[in-house]
Amino acid sequence: MRKSILVAVLAICSLAAYAERDFNMLKGLSFGVGLPFEFRDLPGAGMTFNIGYDCAYPINDHFAMGFYLTGGGGFWGEYKKYSDIDHFHPVFRLTAGLMMQIGDPQNKPWLIGVAPCTGFGLYDLDMVLPVEVRFGKFITDRWYIMGCLTYHASLAGETATLEPAIRVGYNFGRKVKAKK
């Protein structure tokens, strides 16, 4: 009972402090296209399509921190046919990472994302862990663009996949007008 009351009081105080602040936040929906290529077991390349949710809450006036979730899929094909039956392979991945917004929110801030093996994927029917780095910038008040580079570390030690991608997103988060 005491824990419930304590949690309720903390939640109310947090909401009150949250409501008093005047800030911008990132709550965006992003779409991306990637070009994965494998260079160890069965060399090949393919294409993936991803959709994601990007979120960052302000810590101070020039720094926000949050998370991102990305899921998607596509296909991957071998350069040289290993088998007539098994030439194209499905690709699937789900990634979660840390998202940071750096700079003045009124002046097109920078975006940086990192996912250190937080997620999973299937490449060449092998389970992989993504190591991802994102770097981007707002191009307008609402639209942003990011470049991604993902290395998929194989759990079985068979595949090694590198996937460069480009992402475009739209921020649905609250925007506060600049003070005059």
Side-chain angles (χ1 to χ4, degrees), residues 132-152:
E132 183 175 82
V133 176
R134 292 183 177 188
F135 189 74
K137 186 164 176 64
F138 274 84
I139 53 177
T140 68
D141 288 342
R142 295 284 186 178
W143 290 95
Y144 56 94
I145 188 165
M146 289 187 287
C148 304
L149 185 61
T150 308
Y151 173 74
H152 299 281

Side-chain angles (χ1 to χ4, degrees), residues 8-30:
V9 169
L10 289 174
I12 291 170
C13 291
S14 298
L15 288 174
Y18 179 79
E20 290 179 12
R21 294 200 57 190
D22 223 10
F23 54 74
N24 298 335
M25 66 179 63
L26 170 64
K27 287 186 178 177
L29 187 63
S30 62

Side-chain angles (χ1 to χ4, degrees), residues 111-128:
L111 298 170
I112 298 172
V114 179
C117 295
T118 50
F120 68 93
L122 294 173
Y123 279 84
D124 187 19
L125 301 177
D126 186 16
M127 189 167 173
V128 295

